[in-house]
Every structure is written in C-alpha cells, then in structure tokens.
Amino acid sequence: MAVAAFVLGLLGLPFLNLVLGPFAFVLALLARHRRTTRRLPALAGMILGIADVAVYAALATADNTVVLSLA
C-alpha cells in the first residue's frame, strides 16, 4: 500500500491530481495505520497526495477557472 500511495502521488502531479492525490493520501494513511515496514514511501505518498491537491488549487486559482469541469 505504501508503494502504491507513492506511485499514485507521483502520477497525480501531472495527471488527474484532484483524483489521484486523495487516493494517495488515504492509501498512505492506511499503510501507516497498519504499521508498514515501508515508512518512507508511505510518508512520501502522504506528502505527494497533499501536493497534488495543492497543485490543483494553484492551477485553479491562477487563471480563475476550474481545471476539471463536468460540462
């Protein structure tokens, strides 16, 4: 789970950051809750999950548009 969180966090930076970021964060939390031996990838996945959402927020507010729309 820790490695999956890290990979999703990395993929979430350039692609689908609003979707993959929260998944990476939740997987990292679950991995740390289960006391994984891979603490560093879990921590990195948690940080990257937060960064994904922050990148989305920065892009959405930079030009006052919504990056993803349902229309």
Side-chain angles (χ1 to χ4, degrees), residues 19-50:
V19 176
L20 296 179
F23 279 130
F25 186 77
V26 169
L27 277 177
L29 281 178
L30 287 174
R32 290 188 55 107
H33 179 71
R34 292 182 180 185
R35 299 185 187 257
T36 183
T37 58
R38 298 178 176 165
R39 293 184 207 152
L40 191 60
L43 179 64
M46 196 178 304
I47 292 170
L48 286 170
I50 293 169

Side-chain angles (χ1 to χ4, degrees), residues 51-67:
D52 290 345
V53 176
V55 165
Y56 175 79
L59 289 174
T61 58
D63 55 1
N64 294 329
T65 61
V66 176
V67 178

